[in-house]
Amino acid sequence: LYFSTQEGILFFYHIKDQQYEMKICTDILQPISSLIFSPDYTVLLLVTDQGTVYTYKPAHNGEVVKLLDTCSSCFLAADFLTPGNKYCVSVTISGEVQVWILEDGTCLSKLNLDIEVNET
């Protein structure tokens, strides 16, 4: 079980039977608004309130990499494009939808919806 705090700390709870062990995975120093696992559960997207998206790879010694950072408009949500986990899609509060390569954060395409997006 992975969960985050408003302080930007990502925790992992290993639960077995009625016992558990808690581990701090990373501290990105920004409030995390959402966590999304890739379809094969090898990569976790961490989306922050301040417009940054990180990737976290549990199998690679908990490697955290800043993937996307925006200054003009904060990311509202991000998710993986399936099948696979090579690409992700994000939407900003200003209504810009973007497709990214997860490996290096390259933006492949953008679509402006010309409308402000809200979380529901």
Side-chain angles (χ1 to χ4, degrees):
L1 171 69
Y2 285 90
F3 76 95
S4 64
T5 65
Q6 283 295 321
E7 292 80 27
I9 301 171
L10 178 67
F11 288 96
F12 171 70
Y13 270 96
H14 179 80
I15 303 169
K16 185 174 182 179
D17 299 321
Q18 294 186 9
Q19 297 184 4
Y20 69 91
E21 177 185 346
M22 184 181 78
K23 174 185 168 190
I24 295 176
C25 299
T26 189
D27 184 353
I28 59 172
L29 305 173
Q30 295 181 28
I32 299 170
S33 58
S34 61
L35 304 171
I36 304 103
F37 256 113
S38 63
D40 63 1
Y41 297 99
T42 59
V43 181
L44 182 64
L45 289 181
L46 310 172
V47 181
T48 73
D49 289 345
Q50 298 167 345
T52 309
V53 177
Y54 294 86
T55 59
Y56 174 77
K57 298 179 180 179
H60 293 104
N61 296 323
E63 179 184 350
V64 178
V65 176
K66 185 187 287 188
L67 179 65
L68 314 170
D69 199 359
T70 182
C71 299
S72 60
S73 180
C74 291
F75 288 107
L76 183 61
D79 203 348
F80 291 88
L81 286 177
T82 56
N85 57 353
K86 187 175 179 181
Y87 306 101
C88 76
V89 63
S90 64
V91 64
T92 64
I93 293 170
S94 65
E96 187 173 78
V97 178
Q98 301 165 329
V99 176
W100 305 90
I101 296 176
L102 281 171
E103 185 177 308
D104 61 6
T106 301
C107 181
L108 294 177
S109 65
K110 296 179 185 181
L111 172 65
N112 194 329
L113 302 175
D114 291 326
I115 189 168
E116 191 170 299
V117 178
N118 295 317
E119 196 170 358
T120 58

